[in-house]
């Protein structure tokens, strides 16, 4: 969406934004439990249950068009594809500068190696539904319980 693209543009021109976000995520990862974070780089959070939700680019663009329509805005699929590509390009440029990541597949060659739960959201309504959130939360709770039992503090 445009807010994400605007943030990516701002962060591209000001590297301190990503540094502050990284510092805050690291702090949250060290000090909080039972936190849900929507983050492309969540795999870097220590002691986190990581969920990777994938989606093909056409479906992602259709969802952008649908969100725009719900806000009373018109957008074509081509425009949404271009906006998504622009945001990805901004993000990749920032990620390459900060982390050496050249493509999202560099970061995610096999998501199951770095993430605890992976699923494709290309099918379905295009939003995290209450049932999806409940499933992720339940798995996260079970994982947290397992970790606490296996590694008591």
């Amino acid at each position: 969406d445009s807010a994400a693209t605007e943030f990516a543009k701002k962060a591209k021109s000001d590297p301190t934004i990503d540094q502050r976000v990284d510092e805050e995520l690291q702090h949250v990862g060290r000090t909080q439990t039972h936190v849900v974070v929507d983050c492309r780089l969540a795999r870097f959070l220590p002691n986190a249950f990581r969920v990777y939700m994938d989606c093909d680019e056409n479906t992602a663009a259709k969802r952008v068009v649908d969100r725009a329509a719900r806000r009373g805005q018109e957008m074509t699929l081509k425009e949404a594809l271009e906006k998504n590509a622009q945001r990805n390009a901004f993000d990749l440029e920032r990620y390459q500068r900060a982390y050496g990541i050249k493509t999202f597949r560099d970061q995610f060659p096999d998501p199951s190696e770095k993430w605890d739960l992976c699923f494709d959201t290309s099918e379905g309504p295009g939003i995290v539904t209450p049932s999806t959130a409940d499933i992720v939360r339940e798995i996260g709770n079970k994982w947290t319980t397992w970790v606490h039992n296996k590694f008591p503090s």
Side-chain angles (χ1 to χ4, degrees):
D1 288 67
S2 61
T5 301
E6 289 306 311
F7 177 81
K9 285 180 186 178
K10 195 174 205 179
K12 178 183 170 187
S13 66
D14 182 357
T16 64
I17 291 174
D18 284 328
Q19 292 165 355
R20 290 192 315 256
V21 169
D22 288 349
E23 289 167 5
E24 183 61 25
L25 283 173
Q26 290 169 7
H27 174 75
V28 167
R30 287 190 309 272
T31 61
Q32 305 293 316
T33 59
H34 299 92
V35 176
V36 176
V37 178
D38 177 13
C39 175
R40 287 181 169 179
L41 300 176
R43 74 181 181 120
F44 295 117
L45 289 172
N47 306 316
F49 181 78
R50 296 163 190 90
V51 179
Y52 179 82
M53 295 187 286
D54 200 6
C55 180
D56 69 79
E57 67 182 34
N58 283 326
T59 302
K62 287 176 189 172
R63 292 174 184 167
V64 170
V65 170
D66 290 344
R67 282 192 299 270
R70 285 194 300 273
R71 291 190 303 261
Q73 301 169 339
E74 289 189 28
M75 180 180 295
T76 67
L77 184 61
K78 181 180 178 191
E79 289 170 328
L81 283 164
E82 289 169 359
K83 276 185 169 280
N84 287 351
Q86 181 184 39
R87 176 183 171 211
N88 287 339
F90 286 137
D91 286 347
L92 284 173
E93 187 175 327
R94 291 172 30 231
Y95 298 166
Q96 183 172 8
R97 179 182 64 222
Y99 315 108
I101 295 170
K102 295 181 185 133
T103 70
F104 285 120
R105 284 295 158 208
D106 285 348
Q107 182 186 354
F108 313 127
D110 178 4
S112 65
E113 291 178 5
K114 301 286 184 185
W115 300 78
D116 302 297
L117 173 64
C118 302
F119 58 97
D120 189 337
T121 67
S122 297
E123 299 296 321
I127 57 173
V128 177
T129 63
S131 60
T132 304
D134 289 341
I135 292 167
V136 171
R137 187 178 305 109
E138 180 65 23
I139 292 169
N141 287 338
K142 288 182 180 193
W143 180 83
T144 301
T145 300
W146 177 85
V147 168
H148 287 298
N149 289 337
K150 183 121 174 132
F151 308 103
S153 34

mmCIF file of all heavy atoms in Angstrom, residues 86-103:
data_model
loop_
_atom_site.group_PDB
_atom_site.id
_atom_site.type_symbol
_atom_site.label_atom_id
_atom_site.label_comp_id
_atom_site.label_asym_id
_atom_site.label_seq_id
_atom_site.Cartn_x
_atom_site.Cartn_y
_atom_site.Cartn_z
ATOM 1 N N GLN A 86 7.702 -1.508 -6.790
ATOM 2 C CA GLN A 86 8.437 -0.338 -6.307
ATOM 3 C C GLN A 86 8.795 -0.492 -4.829
ATOM 4 O O GLN A 86 9.931 -0.255 -4.428
ATOM 5 C CB GLN A 86 7.607 0.926 -6.520
ATOM 6 C CG GLN A 86 8.307 2.194 -6.076
ATOM 7 C CD GLN A 86 7.406 3.414 -6.205
ATOM 8 O OE1 GLN A 86 6.209 3.347 -5.930
ATOM 9 N NE2 GLN A 86 7.995 4.516 -6.633
ATOM 10 N N ARG A 87 7.828 -0.910 -4.032
ATOM 11 C CA ARG A 87 8.102 -1.112 -2.601
ATOM 12 C C ARG A 87 9.173 -2.181 -2.406
ATOM 13 O O ARG A 87 10.105 -2.024 -1.612
ATOM 14 C CB ARG A 87 6.833 -1.510 -1.866
ATOM 15 C CG ARG A 87 7.109 -1.809 -0.407
ATOM 16 C CD ARG A 87 5.895 -2.283 0.331
ATOM 17 N NE ARG A 87 6.304 -2.733 1.656
ATOM 18 C CZ ARG A 87 5.710 -3.676 2.310
ATOM 19 N NH1 ARG A 87 4.657 -4.296 1.817
ATOM 20 N NH2 ARG A 87 6.133 -4.037 3.501
ATOM 21 N N ASN A 88 9.054 -3.290 -3.124
ATOM 22 C CA ASN A 88 10.056 -4.355 -3.012
ATOM 23 C C ASN A 88 11.439 -3.862 -3.404
ATOM 24 O O ASN A 88 12.431 -4.202 -2.770
ATOM 25 C CB ASN A 88 9.647 -5.569 -3.846
ATOM 26 C CG ASN A 88 8.503 -6.331 -3.228
ATOM 27 O OD1 ASN A 88 8.237 -6.239 -2.034
ATOM 28 N ND2 ASN A 88 7.797 -7.088 -4.053
ATOM 29 N N ALA A 89 11.499 -3.041 -4.465
ATOM 30 C CA ALA A 89 12.793 -2.509 -4.902
ATOM 31 C C ALA A 89 13.399 -1.610 -3.828
ATOM 32 O O ALA A 89 14.599 -1.704 -3.529
ATOM 33 C CB ALA A 89 12.634 -1.744 -6.216
ATOM 34 N N PHE A 90 12.585 -0.739 -3.239
ATOM 35 C CA PHE A 90 13.076 0.112 -2.146
ATOM 36 C C PHE A 90 13.577 -0.735 -0.984
ATOM 37 O O PHE A 90 14.651 -0.503 -0.430
ATOM 38 C CB PHE A 90 11.979 1.056 -1.631
ATOM 39 C CG PHE A 90 11.664 2.202 -2.540
ATOM 40 C CD1 PHE A 90 10.354 2.562 -2.774
ATOM 41 C CD2 PHE A 90 12.660 2.948 -3.156
ATOM 42 C CE1 PHE A 90 10.028 3.635 -3.594
ATOM 43 C CE2 PHE A 90 12.357 4.012 -3.981
ATOM 44 C CZ PHE A 90 11.036 4.353 -4.201
ATOM 45 N N ASP A 91 12.763 -1.734 -0.608
ATOM 46 C CA ASP A 91 13.141 -2.580 0.521
ATOM 47 C C ASP A 91 14.423 -3.359 0.232
ATOM 48 O O ASP A 91 15.319 -3.423 1.069
ATOM 49 C CB ASP A 91 12.015 -3.553 0.873
ATOM 50 C CG ASP A 91 10.841 -2.873 1.565
ATOM 51 O OD1 ASP A 91 10.987 -1.712 1.989
ATOM 52 O OD2 ASP A 91 9.780 -3.512 1.672
ATOM 53 N N LEU A 92 14.519 -3.924 -0.968
ATOM 54 C CA LEU A 92 15.716 -4.706 -1.301
ATOM 55 C C LEU A 92 16.967 -3.844 -1.306
ATOM 56 O O LEU A 92 18.033 -4.283 -0.860
ATOM 57 C CB LEU A 92 15.541 -5.413 -2.644
ATOM 58 C CG LEU A 92 14.652 -6.645 -2.602
ATOM 59 C CD1 LEU A 92 14.406 -7.181 -4.006
ATOM 60 C CD2 LEU A 92 15.251 -7.725 -1.720
ATOM 61 N N GLU A 93 16.846 -2.626 -1.806
ATOM 62 C CA GLU A 93 18.005 -1.727 -1.782
ATOM 63 C C GLU A 93 18.444 -1.466 -0.340
ATOM 64 O O GLU A 93 19.634 -1.499 -0.018
ATOM 65 C CB GLU A 93 17.661 -0.414 -2.482
ATOM 66 C CG GLU A 93 18.866 0.496 -2.635
ATOM 67 C CD GLU A 93 18.548 1.744 -3.438
ATOM 68 O OE1 GLU A 93 17.709 1.684 -4.353
ATOM 69 O OE2 GLU A 93 19.163 2.779 -3.137
ATOM 70 N N ARG A 94 17.479 -1.226 0.529
ATOM 71 C CA ARG A 94 17.799 -1.008 1.947
ATOM 72 C C ARG A 94 18.387 -2.270 2.576
ATOM 73 O O ARG A 94 19.360 -2.218 3.320
ATOM 74 C CB ARG A 94 16.540 -0.601 2.713
ATOM 75 C CG ARG A 94 16.055 0.768 2.343
ATOM 76 C CD ARG A 94 14.700 1.129 2.941
ATOM 77 N NE ARG A 94 14.392 0.518 4.200
ATOM 78 C CZ ARG A 94 13.261 -0.130 4.459
ATOM 79 N NH1 ARG A 94 12.317 -0.259 3.525
ATOM 80 N NH2 ARG A 94 13.028 -0.628 5.650
ATOM 81 N N TYR A 95 17.788 -3.422 2.284
ATOM 82 C CA TYR A 95 18.263 -4.677 2.880
ATOM 83 C C TYR A 95 19.661 -5.033 2.392
ATOM 84 O O TYR A 95 20.455 -5.590 3.126
ATOM 85 C CB TYR A 95 17.297 -5.828 2.580
ATOM 86 C CG TYR A 95 15.905 -5.648 3.152
ATOM 87 C CD1 TYR A 95 14.863 -6.449 2.729
ATOM 88 C CD2 TYR A 95 15.611 -4.669 4.102
ATOM 89 C CE1 TYR A 95 13.580 -6.307 3.236
ATOM 90 C CE2 TYR A 95 14.339 -4.516 4.606
ATOM 91 C CZ TYR A 95 13.332 -5.343 4.175
ATOM 92 O OH TYR A 95 12.066 -5.195 4.676
ATOM 93 N N GLN A 96 19.942 -4.719 1.113
ATOM 94 C CA GLN A 96 21.289 -4.991 0.612
ATOM 95 C C GLN A 96 22.301 -4.122 1.341
ATOM 96 O O GLN A 96 23.352 -4.605 1.772
ATOM 97 C CB GLN A 96 21.374 -4.746 -0.899
ATOM 98 C CG GLN A 96 22.746 -5.100 -1.451
ATOM 99 C CD GLN A 96 22.786 -5.036 -2.975
ATOM 100 O OE1 GLN A 96 21.854 -4.604 -3.620
ATOM 101 N NE2 GLN A 96 23.890 -5.475 -3.537
ATOM 102 N N ARG A 97 21.966 -2.852 1.504
ATOM 103 C CA ARG A 97 22.874 -1.928 2.197
ATOM 104 C C ARG A 97 23.087 -2.360 3.652
ATOM 105 O O ARG A 97 24.206 -2.388 4.144
ATOM 106 C CB ARG A 97 22.297 -0.514 2.140
ATOM 107 C CG ARG A 97 23.153 0.528 2.846
ATOM 108 C CD ARG A 97 22.539 1.916 2.822
ATOM 109 N NE ARG A 97 21.289 1.920 3.570
ATOM 110 C CZ ARG A 97 20.176 2.535 3.188
ATOM 111 N NH1 ARG A 97 20.133 3.199 2.068
ATOM 112 N NH2 ARG A 97 19.095 2.490 3.923
ATOM 113 N N ALA A 98 22.026 -2.715 4.337
ATOM 114 C CA ALA A 98 22.117 -3.001 5.771
ATOM 115 C C ALA A 98 22.538 -4.434 6.099
ATOM 116 O O ALA A 98 23.248 -4.659 7.079
ATOM 117 C CB ALA A 98 20.775 -2.704 6.437
ATOM 118 N N TYR A 99 22.094 -5.412 5.264
ATOM 119 C CA TYR A 99 22.275 -6.818 5.634
ATOM 120 C C TYR A 99 22.941 -7.672 4.557
ATOM 121 O O TYR A 99 23.149 -8.864 4.761
ATOM 122 C CB TYR A 99 20.917 -7.460 5.959
ATOM 123 C CG TYR A 99 20.052 -6.607 6.841
ATOM 124 C CD1 TYR A 99 18.922 -5.972 6.330
ATOM 125 C CD2 TYR A 99 20.359 -6.420 8.190
ATOM 126 C CE1 TYR A 99 18.126 -5.176 7.130
ATOM 127 C CE2 TYR A 99 19.565 -5.628 8.995
ATOM 128 C CZ TYR A 99 18.451 -5.008 8.465
ATOM 129 O OH TYR A 99 17.664 -4.225 9.253
ATOM 130 N N GLY A 100 23.226 -7.103 3.394
ATOM 131 C CA GLY A 100 23.820 -7.879 2.312
ATOM 132 C C GLY A 100 22.831 -8.756 1.572
ATOM 133 O O GLY A 100 23.231 -9.637 0.814
ATOM 134 N N ILE A 101 21.530 -8.535 1.769
ATOM 135 C CA ILE A 101 20.492 -9.325 1.100
ATOM 136 C C ILE A 101 20.251 -8.714 -0.282
ATOM 137 O O ILE A 101 19.903 -7.542 -0.388
ATOM 138 C CB ILE A 101 19.192 -9.323 1.924
ATOM 139 C CG1 ILE A 101 19.428 -10.040 3.254
ATOM 140 C CG2 ILE A 101 18.051 -9.959 1.141
ATOM 141 C CD1 ILE A 101 18.288 -9.874 4.234
ATOM 142 N N LYS A 102 20.450 -9.509 -1.338
ATOM 143 C CA LYS A 102 20.308 -8.998 -2.708
ATOM 144 C C LYS A 102 18.927 -9.268 -3.299
ATOM 145 O O LYS A 102 18.455 -8.527 -4.139
ATOM 146 C CB LYS A 102 21.386 -9.593 -3.590
ATOM 147 C CG LYS A 102 22.771 -9.146 -3.178
ATOM 148 C CD LYS A 102 23.837 -9.735 -4.076
ATOM 149 C CE LYS A 102 25.191 -9.350 -3.516
ATOM 150 N NZ LYS A 102 26.096 -10.451 -3.442
ATOM 151 N N THR A 103 18.318 -10.366 -2.914
ATOM 152 C CA THR A 103 16.961 -10.688 -3.366
ATOM 153 C C THR A 103 16.224 -11.302 -2.191
ATOM 154 O O THR A 103 16.847 -11.772 -1.233
ATOM 155 C CB THR A 103 16.955 -11.703 -4.530
ATOM 156 O OG1 THR A 103 17.373 -12.982 -4.026
ATOM 157 C CG2 THR A 103 17.834 -11.267 -5.671
#
